[in-house]
Amino acid sequence: VDTAPVQAARVRYWDLAATEGGGAFTVGLLLARDADRKVYVEDIRRGQLSIGQRDELILQTAKDDALAYGNTVQIWIEQEPGSSGKETAGDKVTMLRGFPAHAEKVTGSKEVRAEPVARAAEAGELCVLSADWTEGFLTRLALFPMGRYKDEIDALSGAYNKLSLIQYMSPGTTAKAVEGTQTVSRFTRKTVSGSRWGRNDRRGWRR
């Protein structure tokens, strides 16, 4: 698709890495959901960055999102296991003071966490904006979980799961988080790498 609706709930979810020029990628994925509960992958910031470059990207992206959407984009940062991960996520939330930023300690496998957004794709509810990052993103999405890089899918599933806790309000108002939990079913490798994500599945992702 070419555009996402302006009136929508939005989450920017960050999956962090810290190796410049190699290794895993830092990814910040912006996901929007409209009143009909259709979701849009609206923007992806991605790079193999040093810690300083990564922090600069996260802060600048928060400023860009706030300028575009009036500081209503909920920012979530994935917390890696262990005390160092907790400190890193906490540092980012502190750095983003003034923005609606939160840290999340994830549990469960990547496949299980991706189950809800895979169901949305299968139902034709997941749209992807056409941009310079679209083709690469869709290629890696189709390869999940067997592909080399899973950062974007981690960010996509994290953003989708957080959007499920946000209540869409009428146009002209902001979205607010509501209490709740989400139950996910086990996601087998065959299902993830098969028709749900495949390019030939008419009920899957749409451009």
Side-chain angles (χ1 to χ4, degrees):
V1 296
D2 294 325
T3 59
V6 174
Q7 297 296 340
R10 285 178 167 83
V11 167
R12 171 83 69 173
Y13 196 99
W14 288 95
D15 183 78
L16 304 182
T19 303
E20 183 178 1
F25 284 77
T26 289
V27 172
L29 184 145
L30 179 64
L31 196 66
R33 191 193 71 214
D34 64 16
D36 297 323
R37 304 194 69 81
K38 184 163 289 187
V39 292
Y40 301 78
V41 181
E42 191 171 0
D43 180 59
I44 296 177
R45 309 287 172 95
R46 181 175 185 262
Q48 293 172 314
L49 309 172
S50 67
I51 293 175
Q53 292 170 333
R54 180 191 68 190
D55 291 354
E56 183 179 354
L57 175 64
I58 292 172
L59 183 57
Q60 184 58 54
T61 301
K63 293 176 181 178
D64 293 344
D65 288 345
L67 182 63
Y69 301 111
N71 207 25
T72 62
V73 177
Q74 298 295 312
I75 304 168
W76 283 90
I77 299 170
E78 182 176 309
Q79 178 183 318
E80 297 294 333
S83 59
S84 61
K86 182 177 181 180
E87 291 173 1
T88 298
D91 290 343
K92 300 300 168 286
V93 172
T94 300
M95 178 184 73
L96 293 169
R97 183 174 293 129
F99 300 100
H102 324 271
E104 177 189 36
K105 183 178 180 180
V106 297
T107 59
S109 70
K110 296 176 184 292
E111 292 90 343
V112 170
R113 298 200 303 271
E115 171 69 21
V117 70
R119 289 197 297 265
E122 187 179 42
E125 297 172 352
L126 179 64
C127 301
V128 181
L129 264 67
S130 295
D132 56 1
W133 46 261
T134 305
E135 199 65 33
F137 168 69
L138 293 177
T139 297
R140 288 181 287 273
L141 186 66
L143 292 174
F144 181 81
M146 306 305 293
R148 180 180 180 185
Y149 296 113
K150 305 175 180 66
D151 318 273
E152 288 156 301
I153 291 78
D154 287 344
L156 173 63
S157 59
Y160 186 86
N161 294 338
K162 290 306 176 186
L163 269 180
S164 71
L165 304 179
I166 294 178
Q167 178 180 346
Y168 182 85
M169 302 179 72
S170 58
T173 63
T174 59
K176 65 178 181 180
V178 295
E179 293 183 359
T181 58
Q182 184 169 23
T183 302
V184 297
S185 59
R186 183 161 297 279
F187 207 11
T188 64
R189 291 194 171 201
K190 181 177 180 182
T191 301
V192 180
S193 59
S195 62
R196 285 195 173 190
W197 300 107
R199 291 174 179 269
N200 295 324
D201 183 2
R202 289 179 298 175
R203 295 187 299 163
W205 53 262
R206 298 190 303 165
R207 292 185 60 179

